[in-house]
């Protein structure tokens, strides 16, 4: 999601051993998060591309990064600032909202059983 597409890009940005990186990329492909696309002459090169399933992880990964920035690094020593490249605006903290746009915390969360019409209480 940060622009890496080739094995060498991932290796350079992560610095992990090539065998471990190979294993992790294979698992992402096996689980439908990424696909391999042949580029160049007769498949001499491959690029890794996010699938729709992989793209759907974006809000989860942003939420985890924001959590780490706040609770691990603290506001005084943030490692980076995420922003929208279209207009330069910083990202708002990821929040869970209902259909009306009101923020929902775990205190207000209810769950409906998929097979029944009645509401289940969660604590």
């Amino acid at each position: 999601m940060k622009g890496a597409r080739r094995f060498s890009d991932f290796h350079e940005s992560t610095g992990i051993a090539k065998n471990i990186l190979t294993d992790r990329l294979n698992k992402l492909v096996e689980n439908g998060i990424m696909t391999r696309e042949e580029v160049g002459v007769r498949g001499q090169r491959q690029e890794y591309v996010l699938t729709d399933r992989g793209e759907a992880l974006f809000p989860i990964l942003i939420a985890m990064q924001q959590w780490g920035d706040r609770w691990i690094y603290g506001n005084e020593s943030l490692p980076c600032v995420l922003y929208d490249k279209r207009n330069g605006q910083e990202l708002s903290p990821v929040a869970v909202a209902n259909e009306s746009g009101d923020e929902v915390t775990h205190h207000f969360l209810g769950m409906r059983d998929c097979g029944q019409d009645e509401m289940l209480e969660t604590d």
Side-chain angles (χ1 to χ4, degrees):
M1 291 183 187
K2 293 183 179 179
R5 292 177 64 101
R6 295 190 173 145
F7 184 91
S8 59
D9 297 334
F10 289 108
H11 185 253
E12 194 174 298
S13 67
T14 63
I16 63 176
K18 289 182 178 183
N19 63 324
I20 294 172
L21 179 57
T22 298
D23 182 58
R24 290 182 182 173
L25 288 171
N26 286 338
K27 286 180 181 172
L28 290 170
V29 170
E30 290 167 13
N31 287 288
I33 306 300
M34 300 182 103
T35 60
R36 284 187 200 90
E37 290 186 2
E38 302 289 333
V39 295
V41 180
R42 288 186 234 130
Q44 292 176 342
R45 284 188 158 170
Q46 294 180 341
E47 289 186 346
Y48 293 88
V49 180
L50 284 170
T51 62
D52 290 343
R53 187 177 190 173
E55 292 276 354
L57 289 170
F58 179 71
I60 296 166
L61 297 174
I62 294 299
M64 290 175 65
Q65 181 169 342
Q66 289 176 343
W67 180 91
D69 288 349
R70 178 174 179 192
W71 296 103
I72 304 300
Y73 293 104
N75 292 331
E76 301 302 318
S77 60
L78 291 177
C80 60
V81 175
L82 300 173
Y83 68 93
D84 184 336
K85 291 193 300 187
R86 298 172 298 179
N87 55 26
Q89 294 180 358
E90 291 184 20
L91 298 188
S92 298
V94 175
V96 177
N98 64 22
E99 291 176 341
S100 299
D102 300 323
E103 188 172 344
V104 177
T105 68
H106 69 281
H107 297 290
F108 306 116
L109 184 65
M111 185 178 359
R112 288 188 181 98
D113 184 13
C114 295
Q116 300 176 11
D117 289 332
E118 63 187 84
M119 307 244 312
L120 302 174
E121 290 296 320
T122 60
D123 290 320

